[in-house]
Each structure stands twice: as structure tokens, then as C-alpha cells.
């Protein structure tokens, strides 16, 4: 039989808030979660619009597609789609990496890499749309 | 010990002896509830869409570069491999869209009651399959009809 150990209640002269401050992973509060939702809400109409637009231009030559993408409204919607897509993609893949990569160094490196990749891909697509918008007559 | 699974059911009693304890089932012997499948699919389609975004960038950059570059993209998309990627992309997009709407409903405190969990899960599977089929039907009519 193991001896029953008596635990003493220790009085700590610190407030509950003082004891938890600085602990845990909540460095930026709910910002990541909130931005993931905001970009998701924006992507619902934008991605539906994009699918319908692409369906309307199936098999169309480059000239027609470029003219479509170059109008101010379509170019603005495409830019919004690009920004929201790559922001959402970065936030989502970051969570995937946080869940599955257990070594802190490799995890941070992967998150940084995907951040850079999303930024570059988003910039490339945006520059392409801006070029079409400027070239359009 | 007749059952190999019992080897995992090893615990320690409060009096320090070894005892057999039931453990919650691990993935291998778990009957997958629909909600679990839906959750994994949402993440998987998100990863697939991330890969598919490369095609979106290529398509836009090619459209801005000129007819020759654009023809290359169109040829790639029109080839069997490209068509398979596009099918996966549309299915992933619609699944992630409806799955995402389900998450947004949950976040706002709706549809989270136990009776509605499985029906909503079946509904998003059906809706995404139907939307994918509709898009490809329209595409087929437009190109072949």
C-alpha cells in the first residue's frame, strides 16, 4: 500500500491574471482565426464569380480572355480574388504546418517559406492582371 | 492475451500495479464518423487548392504574356492530365466552399446541434458533387455541343 501523501495548500500572493500572463501560445489573440474567416467570406462570391467567368470563356483565344480580364471591374475583382486566395492559403497552410511539423525550427522555416511563396505568387498574378488592365483599350 | 489490441491496454493502478484499461480506439479500428471524414476532406481539399493556385497564376501570367504562352496553358489544361487536374480542382473548390460555409455556420452558432451534424455533412458532399457535375456538364455542352 502506498502511503497517502498529504498535499498542503500553498498561498500564492499573485493574481490569477498575473500567473497566466505571458504563458501559452496566444501571441496575437484571435487575429489569425478572424482573418481566415474574413478571407473565406470574401472568397465565396469571388470564387463563384471566377468559375462562372471561366465557364463563359472556355476555348476563347488569348485576345478575348485578355480583354475580359482587362476591364476595370473584372481586373478589380481578379485582384480581390488573388489577394484573398493567397492570404487565405497562407493562413490555412500555416495551420497545417503547425499541426504536423513538430520540430520548431523546421516548422518556422516552412511557415516562412509558404509565406514568401504566397506573397510572390500573389504578386505575379497581380502584376499580370494589372498589365492586362493597363494594356486594355 | 488472445487479442493483439489488448497489448495496448496497459495502465497503472493507483496502487502501482499493472492493470488492463480500455483505451479510446485508435484510427486503425475506428469507424469513421461522417463529420471526421468531412473535416479531413476540408483540409485535404484546401491543400489541393493551394497546389491548384499555381495553375491560376500560370493562366493569368500567360494571358498577360501573349497568345503563344496562353496557347501553352490551354494545351496543358486540355490534355488528359490537365483535365484530371481541373476536375480535381473544381471538385476541391466546391467541397471546400460548401465545407467552409458549414464552418462559418458553426462559427456563428448554427447547425452545431447533434441531430443536424450528419445531415449537413451529407448535404455538403452531395452539393459539391452536384455543383462539380453541373460545371463539367456546362463545359462539355459549350465545347462539344
Amino acid at each position: 500500500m502506498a502511503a497517502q501523501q498529504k498535499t498542503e495548500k500553498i498561498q500564492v500572493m499573485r493574481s490569477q491574471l498575473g500567473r497566466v500572463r505571458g504563458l501559452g501560445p496566444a501571441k496575437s489573440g484571435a487575429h489569425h482565426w478572424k482573418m481566415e474567416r474574413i478571407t473565406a467570406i470574401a472568397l465565396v462570391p469571388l470564387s463563384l464569380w471566377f468559375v462562372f467567368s471561366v465557364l463563359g470563356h472556355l476555348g476563347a483565344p488569348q485576345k478575348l480572355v485578355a480583354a475580359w480580364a482587362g476591364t476595370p471591374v473584372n481586373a478589380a475583382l481578379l485582384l480581390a480574388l488573388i489577394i484573398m486566395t493567397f492570404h487565405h492559403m497562407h493562413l490555412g497552410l500555416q495551420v497545417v504546418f503547425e499541426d504536423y511539423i513538430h520540430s520548431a525550427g523546421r516548422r518556422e522555416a516552412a511557415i516562412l517559406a509558404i509565406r514568401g511563396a504566397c506573397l510572390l505568387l500573389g504578386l505575379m498574378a497581380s502584376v499580370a492582371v494589372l498589365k492586362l488592365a493597363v494594356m486594355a483599350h | 492475451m488472445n487479442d493483439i489490441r489488448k497489448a495496448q491496454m496497459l495502465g497503472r493502478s493507483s496502487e502501482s500495479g499493472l492493470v488492463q484499461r480500455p483505451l479510446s480506439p485508435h484510427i486503425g479500428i475506428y469507424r469513421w464518423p461522417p463529420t471526421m471524414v468531412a473535416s479531413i476532406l476540408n483540409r485535404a481539399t484546401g491543400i489541393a487548392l493551394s497546389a491548384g493556385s499555381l495553375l491560376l497564376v500560370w493562366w493569368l501570367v500567360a494571358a498577360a504574356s501573349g497568345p503563344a504562352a496562353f496557347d501553352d496553358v490551354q494545351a496543358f489544361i486540355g490534355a488528359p492530365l490537365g483535365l484530371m487536374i481541373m476536375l480535381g480542382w473544381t471538385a476541391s473548390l466546391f467541397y471546400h466552399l460548401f465545407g467552409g460555409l458549414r464552418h462559418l455556420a458553426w462559427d456563428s452558432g448554427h447547425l452545431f446541434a447533434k441531430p443536424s451534424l450528419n445531415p449537413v455533412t451529407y448535404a455538403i458532399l452531395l452539393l459539391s458533387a452536384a455543383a462539380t457535375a453541373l460545371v463539367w456538364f456546362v463545359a462539355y455542352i459549350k465545347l462539344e455541343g
Side-chain angles (χ1 to χ4, degrees):
Chain A
M1 284 291 252
Q4 285 280 323
Q5 275 203 326
K6 201 181 171 212
T7 51
E8 276 179 54
K9 204 176 175 194
I10 303 163
Q11 290 287 330
V12 180
M13 296 294 284
R14 285 182 81 188
S15 72
Q16 296 295 314
L17 180 63
R19 288 170 67 180
V20 298
R21 207 167 244 166
L23 297 173
K27 295 197 171 60
S28 58
H31 184 251
H32 181 283
W33 186 91
K34 209 168 141 188
M35 287 316 291
E36 204 169 31
R37 268 70 190 170
I38 290 173
T39 50
I41 292 168
L43 279 169
V44 173
L46 286 171
S47 51
L48 282 176
W49 164 80
F50 181 70
V51 169
F52 279 119
S53 304
V54 170
L55 267 183
H57 288 85
L58 279 182
Q62 183 264 349
K63 214 177 157 187
L64 265 179
V65 173
W68 165 78
T71 68
V73 171
N74 289 336
L77 287 172
L78 278 173
L79 285 175
L81 174 77
I82 290 160
I83 292 166
M84 294 301 159
T85 295
F86 287 104
H87 195 174
H88 190 78
M89 176 174 152
H90 167 232
L91 295 171
L93 288 179
Q94 181 184 338
V95 180
V96 174
F97 290 153
E98 282 168 353
D99 283 353
Y100 302 132
I101 305 179
H102 300 305
S103 135
R106 273 156 58 182
R107 181 172 62 238
E108 293 308 313
I111 291 173
L112 207 57
I114 204 65
R115 193 174 197 159
C118 285
L119 180 69
L120 276 179
L121 287 169
L123 282 174
M124 279 180 215
S126 302
V127 169
V129 170
L130 288 172
K131 186 184 172 194
L132 289 170
V134 170
M135 289 198 320
H137 306 295
Chain B
M1 196 183 287
N2 304 318
D3 191 331
I4 187 76
R5 284 171 294 187
K6 283 185 180 164
Q8 294 182 314
M9 296 160 71
L10 203 60
R12 216 166 260 282
S13 77
S14 57
E15 293 168 0
S16 85
L18 293 177
V19 287
Q20 272 195 348
R21 289 195 196 290
L23 297 177
S24 60
H26 196 51
I27 267 181
I29 53 169
Y30 213 25
R31 190 168 66 87
W32 284 35
T35 42
M36 182 169 147
V37 179
S39 173
I40 292 169
L41 265 179
N42 205 55
R43 177 162 280 194
T45 50
I47 295 169
L49 286 168
S50 302
S53 71
L54 291 172
L55 204 55
L56 170 71
V57 174
W58 185 22
W59 190 73
L60 285 170
V61 168
S65 302
F70 193 69
D71 286 347
D72 287 345
V73 181
Q74 297 293 72
F76 176 80
I77 293 173
L81 177 68
L83 285 173
M84 269 167 62
I85 292 174
M86 288 310 288
L87 179 64
W89 188 82
T90 36
S92 297
L93 181 80
F94 283 121
Y95 182 83
H96 204 76
L97 182 79
F98 291 119
L101 286 174
R102 183 187 63 142
H103 273 283
L104 289 173
W106 286 354
D107 295 340
S108 59
H110 298 92
L111 299 176
F112 209 54
K114 209 178 171 191
S116 62
L117 279 178
N118 284 353
V120 168
T121 303
Y122 293 131
I124 60 167
L125 281 168
L126 264 173
L127 274 171
S128 49
T132 308
L134 184 69
V135 161
W136 281 80
F137 179 70
V138 171
Y140 181 79
I141 295 289
K142 276 207 69 156
L143 289 178
E144 308 287 329

